Amino acid sequence: MATMAKQRLMSELKGLEKEKWVRVELKGDALFKWSLGLMIINPDSAWNGAYFKCEMTFSENYPFSPPTFKFLQPIYHPNIYSDGKVCISILHAPGEDEQSGESANERWSSIQSVESILRSILLLLDDPEISSPANVDAGILYRDNREEYNRKAAETVQASKKDIPDGFVMPTTLVEAPPAKMTEDDDFWNESGDEDDFGASDSSGDDLDMDEEDGEEQEESEEDKDEDEEL
């Protein structure tokens, strides 16, 4: 079972290394305990610019059992406990839970992954569930005084920046760089308007209309000829 968990985690780790919004560090060969930097890169978010240090721990039964997740710094949020743990369905054990009212498809399953957990947490940060909050005061403030709530979030963002590793440059956008400018040759073909990528004429639509008109005139001419013959 441990071998399966290791293979799965190595595969997921390689996938996350391509992402700009998360940074994963392993201490030695401790594959079952990840240190993460979760970055909020969204100008519409109250948490934009934050660098949140987090920790995930996996069991040898992964992915059949969910990992644990916690923030390593205080975050004033309706669904985050004072110890940094997040109250979110995706991290709850598989199966139905009548007491909580959570269905099986809301809770953990082996098709979930580290990335799906992190993306769910990012969504929860901006869209908290305040009907059953882990932090009641934060839930009330979010509901009744959004301006003050956002001010507290901004303070947390500023405090989080001290955890940015030395030499690491925070990304400011998730959008890839635009393609290189066209060369003079590219401009020539685009400005000429005579040929497209396949060498077809730009006036092909006009030629088609003319062909249709010629066909209609030919049909009318043949009909007139038939009428003359009948007479």
Side-chain angles (χ1 to χ4, degrees):
M1 188 69 71
T3 301
M4 179 187 296
K6 288 180 179 179
Q7 291 175 343
R8 171 73 176 260
L9 288 172
M10 285 299 298
S11 175
E12 292 194 42
L13 179 60
K14 288 182 180 179
L16 285 175
E17 287 175 346
K18 302 174 184 178
E19 300 292 342
K20 297 171 65 175
W21 50 271
V22 63
R23 189 170 182 267
V24 183
E25 290 184 357
L26 302 181
K27 295 180 180 179
D29 295 328
L31 185 59
F32 289 93
K33 190 170 185 177
W34 292 15
S35 296
L36 303 98
L38 191 61
M39 289 161 267
I40 315 300
I41 311 168
N42 177 6
D44 296 325
S45 172
W47 310 95
N48 185 45
Y51 184 96
F52 291 139
K53 290 182 69 175
C54 319
E55 185 178 273
M56 293 187 77
T57 304
F58 306 85
S59 72
E60 293 185 354
N61 195 42
Y62 182 80
F64 302 104
S65 296
T68 63
F69 176 97
K70 67 182 296 185
F71 287 102
L72 299 182
Q73 64 190 92
I75 298 178
Y76 191 79
H77 185 279
N79 305 117
I80 301 177
Y81 293 102
S82 58
D83 63 357
K85 291 183 179 178
V86 181
C87 182
I88 188 170
S89 299
I90 195 175
L91 289 175
H92 295 165
E96 301 281 346
D97 186 347
E98 294 181 1
Q99 186 174 357
S100 68
E102 294 175 345
S103 62
N105 61 3
E106 294 177 295
R107 297 162 69 91
W108 178 260
S109 73
S110 59
I111 64 171
Q112 303 290 357
S113 65
V114 176
E115 182 173 351
S116 66
I117 293 170
L118 297 180
R119 290 189 180 276
S120 295
I121 291 173
L122 288 175
L123 289 173
L124 186 68
L125 282 174
D126 287 324
D127 188 18
E129 173 54 62
I130 61 174
S131 61
S132 55
N135 184 329
V136 176
D137 291 339
I140 293 173
L141 189 65
Y142 178 85
R143 183 193 65 194
D144 297 340
N145 191 342
R146 193 68 58 83
E147 183 178 350
E148 178 62 15
Y149 176 86
N150 289 342
R151 187 189 67 78
K152 283 181 173 290
E155 290 179 351
T156 303
V157 170
Q158 193 60 34
S160 75
K161 293 183 178 181
K162 66 178 176 52
D163 291 323
I164 299 175
D166 292 339
F168 178 75
V169 179
M170 277 278 292
T172 57
T173 178
L174 296 176
V175 179
E176 297 295 332
K181 290 184 177 181
M182 294 183 296
T183 65
E184 293 182 359
D185 290 339
D186 293 330
D187 287 337
F188 169 77
W189 288 112
N190 288 334
E191 290 173 2
S192 66
D194 292 331
E195 296 189 4
D196 57 18
D197 292 340
F198 300 96
S201 170
D202 287 342
S203 61
S204 58
D206 295 334
D207 292 339
L208 180 61
D209 292 340
M210 292 179 64
D211 290 342
E212 291 177 350
E213 291 175 359
D214 291 343
E216 292 174 357
E217 291 178 357
Q218 184 175 354
E219 290 178 0
E220 292 175 356
S221 176
E222 290 177 354
E223 290 175 356
D224 292 342
K225 183 178 180 182
D226 291 339
E227 291 177 358
D228 292 340
E229 289 178 352
E230 289 176 2
L231 294 174

